[in-house]
Amino acid sequence: HTTVASLHMESWRSEMQEEINRINLILPSDAGDKAFTIQRWIESVIRKMESCTVGHQTLLMEATTLLELALWKVKLDEIEEGDDTCTRNELRVTSGASIIVKNVLQFLRLA
């Protein structure tokens, strides 16, 4: 459940908890092959977790891009309007985004 707890969207955590707890509802009422039922349930849990992981990675990429752009904008705002010594591209490179994003990402990755 560590990976489930590390999901950053409450709805994903709830969906995963429901999916994990679903076995408690279906197994007691299953009169057939319990091993097959458990196997299907495990596959369902894995598919749901993979879906949440893909969604998490998508949000992470979007957040990383926004953070990098925000840092670049701050750097652009810091220079004076008449100062042509730095190009926009140089400011993007020197904004510190690569260091900041790297350090922020370690707290946003799934466990």
Side-chain angles (χ1 to χ4, degrees):
H1 296 281
T2 303
T3 303
V4 173
S6 68
L7 291 171
H8 295 285
M9 298 280 289
E10 177 64 35
S11 61
W12 292 342
R13 285 193 302 271
S14 295
E15 287 177 26
M16 284 305 302
Q17 281 304 129
E18 287 176 19
E19 190 64 30
I20 290 168
N21 292 333
R22 191 170 62 86
I23 193 65
N24 296 325
L25 300 173
I26 59 174
L27 198 56
S29 63
D30 186 7
D33 185 2
K34 293 193 185 286
F36 179 73
T37 301
I38 292 170
Q39 182 179 3
R40 284 186 29 230
W41 169 75
I42 289 171
E43 291 168 356
S44 175
V45 169
I46 290 170
R47 276 193 310 274
K48 178 72 77 175
M49 190 63 213
E50 287 172 348
S51 174
C52 290
T53 301
V54 168
H56 178 83
Q57 293 301 326
T58 300
L59 288 176
L60 197 59
M61 290 300 294
E62 290 173 5
T64 301
T65 301
L66 287 174
L67 179 58
E68 185 175 353
L69 288 171
L71 292 167
W72 185 22
K73 173 87 170 87
V74 167
K75 199 68 166 176
L76 287 170
D77 290 345
E78 285 177 355
I79 66 166
E80 297 176 6
E81 287 184 23
D83 187 1
D84 291 335
T85 58
C86 292
T87 66
R88 294 172 64 87
N89 205 28
E90 287 173 339
L91 289 173
R92 184 181 64 80
V93 172
T94 62
S95 68
S98 60
I99 296 167
I100 293 170
V101 168
K102 183 177 102 176
N103 288 315
V104 168
L105 282 178
Q106 67 185 345
F107 294 102
L108 300 178
R109 288 203 169 92
L110 292 176

